[in-house]
């Protein structure tokens, strides 16, 4: 009988410890307000430096910067809309402030699923906050997901996600694209919030495999019963075959837009920079935090960036944020009196305190 009581006690003790661990894990799904405040003060960029890049032809629009570094030089991929659709270009800089266009990386084609839309976003950029922001090779190639479609016009038709690759990262040479999309709203497993169209995507490497897979993709999409944009997840083991992760969006407001995620690893947290639009007036920059890349705590405080100047009076959105030599650089798409351009806000006033 004593043995029975001892066995029961041991079982109860294990259950108790297991319960504590489950509670701790559950609590770790939510980032505390105190931690969120710390992150906000780390990443905020109250000083608008202004427009840092625009198309010389003002009838054309530039959009969606992705910033990375290679051999002590900064590079930016960006997309251009010229009336027909999106193409992807490359620019170069020595100081993050002055940029020179180098040429195209993704261009229009004929009779393909992505003939008139190829808006690219470089994959596997180092996500560590304050890092070298280098781009990782996988299978001896560089990778880039892209928004693709064959309908001409501004984000027209059914948009899907494609994948391109290249052996070179910093030359203005056309990348090799795939013959079929990676993810489509027409897929049989498309979820309720993504079965209408899919927009921008971001692929990162998850070294800790929180999802059980090394590669994680975030992308924004619309559904036929959800006519608003939410941020979704997909995972992969080989960068080619992707499967959707979870039943619901990771970030959504149930109206307007939540989109264009960028991920940064800060201490034991992940920060997701994203933009919001139309669930309150205008378009503006937000962030959320996570311990595991899956469960996200949304920031409830003031916007990181919102329209305030003539050059971004309509929209201030689509972030790419880095920290370099003690300064936070927040690149974003600005729409205002200078058309659709790329602007910059910083944590220090670089006009008064030049580097």
């Amino acid at each position: 009988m004593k043995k029975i009581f001892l066995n029961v006690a041991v079982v109860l003790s294990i259950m108790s410890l297991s319960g504590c661990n489950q509670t701790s894990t559950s609590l770790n799904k939510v980032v505390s307000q105190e931690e969120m405040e710390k992150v906000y003060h780390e990443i905020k960029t109250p000083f608008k430096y202004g427009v840092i890049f625009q198309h010389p032809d003002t009838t054309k629009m530039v959009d969606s910067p992705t910033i990375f570094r290679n051999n002590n030089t900064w590079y930016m991929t960006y997309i251009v809309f010229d009336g027909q659709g999106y193409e992807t270009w490359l620019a170069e800089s020595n100081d993050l402030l002055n940029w020179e266009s180098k040429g195209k990386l993704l261009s229009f084609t004929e009779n393909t699923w992505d003939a008139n839309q190829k808006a690219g976003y470089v994959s596997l950029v180092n996500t560590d906050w304050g890092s070298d922001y280098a781009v990782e090779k996988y299978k001896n190639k560089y990778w880039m997901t892209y928004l693709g479609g064959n309908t001409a016009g501004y984000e027209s038709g059914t948009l899907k996600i494609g994948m391109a690759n290249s052996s070179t990262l910093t030359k203005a040479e056309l990348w090799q694209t795939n013959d079929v999309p990676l993810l489509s709203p027409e897929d049989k497993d498309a979820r309720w919030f993504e079965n209408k169209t899919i927009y921008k995507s971001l692929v990162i490497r998850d070294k800790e495999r929180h999802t059980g897979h090394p590669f994680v993709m975030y992308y924004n999409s619309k559904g036929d019963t959800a006519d608003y944009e939410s941020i979704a997840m997909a995972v992969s083991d080989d960068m080619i075959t992707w499967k959707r992760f979870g039943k619901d969006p990771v970030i959504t407001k149930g109206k307007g837009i939540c989109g264009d995620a960028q991920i940064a690893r800060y201490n034991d947290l992940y920060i997701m920079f994203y933009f919001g639009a139309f669930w309150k007036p205008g378009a503006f920059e937000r962030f959320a935090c996570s311990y595991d890349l899956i469960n996200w705590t949304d920031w409830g405080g003031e916007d990181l960036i919102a329209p305030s100047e003539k050059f971004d009076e309509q929209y201030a959105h689509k972030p790419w944020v880095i920290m370099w030599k003690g300064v936070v650089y927040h690149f974003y798409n600005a729409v205002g009196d200078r058309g659709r351009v790329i602007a910059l806000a910083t944590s220090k006033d670089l006009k008064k305190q030049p580097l």
Side-chain angles (χ1 to χ4, degrees):
M1 184 64 71
K2 286 183 179 179
K3 287 183 178 180
I4 292 174
F5 280 129
L6 284 171
N7 289 338
V8 171
V10 169
V11 170
L12 290 174
S13 175
I14 292 172
M15 289 176 65
S16 176
L17 287 172
S18 176
C20 287
N21 288 336
Q22 288 174 357
T23 301
S24 175
T25 301
S26 176
L27 288 175
N28 283 339
K29 290 181 180 180
V30 177
V31 181
S32 70
Q33 179 62 27
E34 181 182 6
E35 287 299 312
M36 295 294 288
E37 291 279 355
K38 288 180 182 177
V39 171
Y40 172 72
H41 289 293
E42 171 69 20
I43 65 177
K44 65 180 180 179
T45 51
F47 303 102
K48 288 190 175 179
Y49 184 82
V51 176
I52 54 97
F53 194 77
Q54 63 186 113
H55 202 286
D57 181 350
T58 56
T59 65
K60 297 180 180 180
M61 301 186 292
V62 297
D63 212 334
S64 298
T66 300
I67 312 296
F68 57 92
R69 189 170 171 83
N70 183 270
N71 291 331
N72 298 318
T73 300
W74 292 101
Y75 294 90
M76 171 174 61
T77 58
Y78 63 98
I79 60 179
V80 174
F81 178 76
D82 67 352
Q84 177 178 340
Y86 282 133
E87 294 180 295
T88 305
W89 289 65
L90 179 72
E92 180 180 298
S93 174
N94 291 320
D95 60 5
L96 291 167
L97 303 177
N98 300 284
W99 293 87
E100 178 186 357
S101 181
K102 306 303 289 185
K104 291 181 187 179
L105 303 179
L106 298 176
S107 188
F108 301 129
T109 48
E110 294 183 2
N111 303 317
T112 60
W113 73 270
D114 53 2
N116 289 302
Q117 309 287 347
K118 291 190 184 72
Y121 321 102
V122 175
S123 301
L124 306 182
V125 180
N126 191 337
T127 58
D128 290 342
W129 188 243
S131 70
D132 59 4
Y133 298 103
V135 180
E136 177 187 350
K137 271 187 172 181
Y138 174 68
K139 293 186 176 179
N140 206 36
K141 295 179 181 179
Y142 296 104
W143 300 79
M144 179 193 302
T145 56
Y146 63 95
L147 172 158
N150 59 18
T151 304
Y154 185 73
E155 297 183 351
S156 300
T158 301
L159 301 172
K160 307 168 185 180
I161 296 176
M163 179 67 85
N165 64 69
S166 175
S167 60
T168 181
L169 181 66
T170 60
K171 294 181 180 179
E173 299 177 357
L174 293 180
W175 288 40
Q176 179 68 41
T177 56
N178 55 346
D179 296 330
V180 294
L182 300 182
L183 294 173
S184 166
E186 298 167 348
D187 294 337
K188 291 182 179 179
D189 61 346
R191 295 162 289 188
W192 59 274
F193 57 89
E194 61 175 358
N195 58 5
K196 184 176 181 180
T197 197
I198 297 176
Y199 297 97
K200 183 179 177 179
S201 53
L202 170 81
V203 172
I204 65 169
R205 179 183 278 277
D206 174 17
K207 295 178 181 178
E208 297 182 12
R209 299 197 177 203
H210 292 290
T211 64
H213 304 272
F215 304 114
V216 178
M217 180 193 296
Y218 296 92
Y219 59 96
N220 33 312
S221 60
K222 279 185 181 179
D224 56 8
T225 59
D227 194 23
Y228 49 85
E229 286 184 49
S230 305
I231 299 174
M233 286 181 70
V235 293
S236 176
D237 294 320
D238 61 6
M239 292 291 285
I240 297 298
T241 303
W242 291 83
K243 60 181 181 180
R244 291 162 166 88
F245 188 90
K247 295 180 179 179
D248 297 306
V250 293
I251 298 286
T252 189
K253 294 294 182 181
K255 58 182 178 179
I257 299 174
C258 295
D260 291 30
Q262 180 214 347
I263 304 297
R265 180 70 186 267
Y266 174 65
N267 296 332
D268 62 340
L269 282 172
Y270 297 93
I271 305 168
M272 177 191 289
F273 299 96
Y274 73 94
F275 85 90
F278 314 133
W279 40 270
K280 62 179 186 176
F284 36 84
E285 303 281 59
R286 306 291 300 171
F287 77 97
C289 290
S290 173
Y291 289 108
D292 60 7
L293 291 171
I294 301 166
N295 302 282
W296 293 90
T297 301
D298 207 13
W299 169 244
E302 63 182 286
D303 299 328
L304 289 176
I305 292 178
S308 64
E309 309 295 329
K310 288 185 177 181
F311 64 81
D312 66 4
E313 60 188 352
Q314 187 174 356
Y315 301 140
H317 63 341
K318 304 186 177 183
W320 195 271
V321 187
I322 65 172
M323 196 274 282
W324 183 251
K325 294 185 177 180
V327 178
V328 181
Y329 294 79
H330 188 141
F331 297 87
Y332 66 102
N333 185 233
V335 182
D337 67 352
R338 296 176 65 176
R340 186 174 287 262
V341 297
I342 294 172
L344 173 67
T346 56
S347 57
K348 296 180 180 179
D349 189 347
L350 298 186
K351 291 181 179 178
K352 292 183 178 179
Q353 305 173 36
L355 297 176

